[in-house]
Amino acid sequence: MDSGVPGSLVGDAISRPLEPPVNAFARYLRTETVGGAVLLCATAIALLWANSPLRGAYTGLRDFPLLGLSVGDWAKDGLLALFFFVAGLELKRELVVGELSRVKAAVLPVIAAVGGMVVPAAIAFAVSGGAPGVWAIPVATDIAFALAVLAMAGTGMPSGARVFLLSLAVVDDLGAILVIAAGFTGSFEPLWFLGALVLLACYWYLQRRRVTAAWVHVPVAVATWVAVHESGVHATIAGVALGLLTRVVPDDGEEQAPAERLAHRLQPWSAGLAVPVFALFAAGVPVNGSALAAIATDRTALAVVAGLLVGKAVGIAGSALLAVRLGVAELPRGTTGRDLLAMGVLGGVGFTVSLLIAELALAGVEAERAKAAVLLASAVAGLLAAALLVRRGRVRRAG
């Protein structure tokens, strides 16, 4: 009986050994749509749990002390450092051998990223009346969510659009990390910071000497995280610093460089554990009628919404198109100004890093309203961007 499957594929499937379930699941988690879906599920669980009669259990688990930090702090300072390490690996690769390694190719996403940080920050500062810390919340773009929306809704978009968005998001995240380091560092301990620099130098030396043993690198990385955390600098900085010091060019006879190998191994843990667990404990904010009504009248919440929905679109698309008009940059192959507008709207999906900055910059009811505003604005930006991407895809197919 005809199975409907080409014979060559059936033969390949029979002759190919079955992939171990763990490896298959890891490969599944590496896809952008799955990573975004897991993140979305964790967010939904957090919102439902925190707005249910079991809210006490949610806050109890989030605030439960464990080895000197609460469970929520471990998710924010510990697990999220893994996410930033993977982002640092991606950034290092782009800077050395990727799209950002050529000046002309790097100019457009860098200018767009800067515009996508400055304009939202300015709008949020103006709307909030200069409230401390609020300006920083809408500067970030969530890589996982943005790429997931693009993968699901932007099937008709050219490959250059994805490269542009990825490069923009990586530069954007680097900027957000610098904002965290400069603006939201607690009491500074210089001796611990010096120790962190020494450990980072050790990690760099191990990379230079081509040492690949995990039993050497893991203790150095963990000690670096501890030193950065104790120095008062936000611990996620340790992750991006280690990522930027990792070697990305393979030696002769080396199948993969350490950065590529580590990204391949750790990305499923980042997408399947670190970011969803952080979202689980960060996104549990009140979203009942009174909370939503408060957003409409709270200047902090309105500043966050305006920064993400208006500032990102204007900043990213406007600065990119201005750079092209002035002749200092070129559009990615196959893309148009309207494509850049869709990318700008998609940049308004702040989520992960915006939630993190909201937690660092604000406290109490103000922080809760700001996080609710981040969730609302990110959801609206994602839906608007998806509609624009679908529309652009139809136009391309019709043309």
Side-chain angles (χ1 to χ4, degrees):
M1 182 172 65
D2 186 3
S3 65
V5 182
S8 60
L9 294 181
V10 174
D12 289 344
I14 294 174
S15 61
R16 188 189 308 120
L18 291 176
E19 188 174 12
V22 174
N23 291 342
F25 184 63
R27 176 174 54 80
Y28 188 62
L29 283 174
R30 287 189 186 98
T31 64
E32 293 156 1
T33 52
V34 174
V38 173
L39 184 57
L40 184 60
C41 287
T43 304
I45 291 171
L47 289 171
L48 291 172
W49 193 359
N51 289 277
S52 73
L54 299 176
R55 177 172 175 78
Y58 174 82
T59 56
L61 177 60
R62 183 191 62 193
D63 300 333
F64 185 80
L66 180 66
L67 300 176
L69 295 174
S70 69
V71 171
D73 285 337
W74 275 114
K76 177 178 64 178
D77 295 347
L79 287 178
L80 209 57
L82 175 61
F83 165 77
F84 278 110
F85 177 65
V86 175
L89 293 173
E90 182 66 31
L91 176 61
K92 177 67 175 291
R93 181 188 176 281
E94 292 294 331
L95 288 170
V96 177
V97 297
E99 289 295 323
L100 302 182
S101 62
R102 295 179 293 110
V103 175
K104 281 192 174 181
V107 166
L108 187 65
V110 170
I111 291 176
V114 172
M117 296 179 68
V118 172
V119 176
I123 290 178
F125 183 84
V127 174
S128 68
V134 176
W135 62 270
I137 297 174
V139 302
T141 294
D142 188 282
I143 296 176
F145 257 155
L147 289 177
V149 172
L150 181 61
M152 291 185 287
T155 54
M157 297 292 286
S159 60
R162 183 195 179 279
V163 173
F164 171 80
L165 179 63
L166 177 60
S167 302
L168 179 148
V170 169
V171 176
D172 188 289
D173 267 7
L174 176 62
I177 291 165
L178 294 176
V179 167
I180 292 172
F184 304 103
T185 294
S187 57
F188 183 67
E189 298 291 341
L191 290 180
W192 277 106
F193 186 73
L194 179 61
L197 294 178
V198 171
L199 288 165
L200 288 171
C202 290
Y203 182 86
W204 172 83
Y205 181 75
L206 291 172
Q207 289 289 312
R208 186 176 179 84
R209 298 296 297 177
R210 297 334 191 232
V211 176
T212 59
W215 65 269
V216 177
H217 282 284
V218 171
V220 172
V222 172
T224 301
W225 180 89
V226 172
V228 172
H229 183 272
E230 294 299 319
S231 73
V233 177
H234 197 268
T236 53
I237 304 300
V240 73
L242 291 167
L244 290 172
L245 292 174
T246 304
R247 184 165 55 88
V248 298
V249 179
D251 292 332
D252 293 338
E254 189 176 29
E255 186 175 349
Q256 289 182 316
E260 185 178 358
R261 186 167 58 250
L262 285 169
H264 184 78
R265 292 177 179 176
L266 295 178
Q267 200 276 336
W269 291 99
S270 174
L273 177 66
V275 177
V277 170
F278 166 75
L280 179 65
F281 292 111
V285 296
V287 290
N288 53 35
S290 59
L292 293 177
I295 291 177
T297 57
D298 185 79
R299 292 189 68 174
T300 295
L302 290 175
V304 172
V305 172
L308 287 173
L309 290 181
V310 179
K312 278 292 184 181
V314 173
I316 292 173
S319 59
L321 291 175
L322 180 61
V324 172
R325 179 68 62 88
L326 294 176
V328 298
E330 296 180 353
L331 288 172
R333 184 176 302 175
T335 60
T336 66
R338 292 184 179 182
D339 295 332
L340 289 185
L341 177 59
M343 295 296 103
V345 174
L346 188 52
V349 181
F351 201 73
T352 307
V353 182
S354 291
L355 288 175
L356 174 61
I357 296 177
E359 287 200 345
L360 297 174
L362 306 173
V365 175
E366 193 175 22
E368 295 293 301
R369 290 180 180 175
K371 290 196 290 183
V374 168
L375 295 174
L376 177 63
S378 297
V380 173
L383 292 173
L384 287 176
L388 289 173
L389 290 169
V390 170
R391 171 64 179 168
R392 295 301 303 152
R394 288 177 179 172
V395 170
R396 290 177 183 279
R397 287 190 293 271

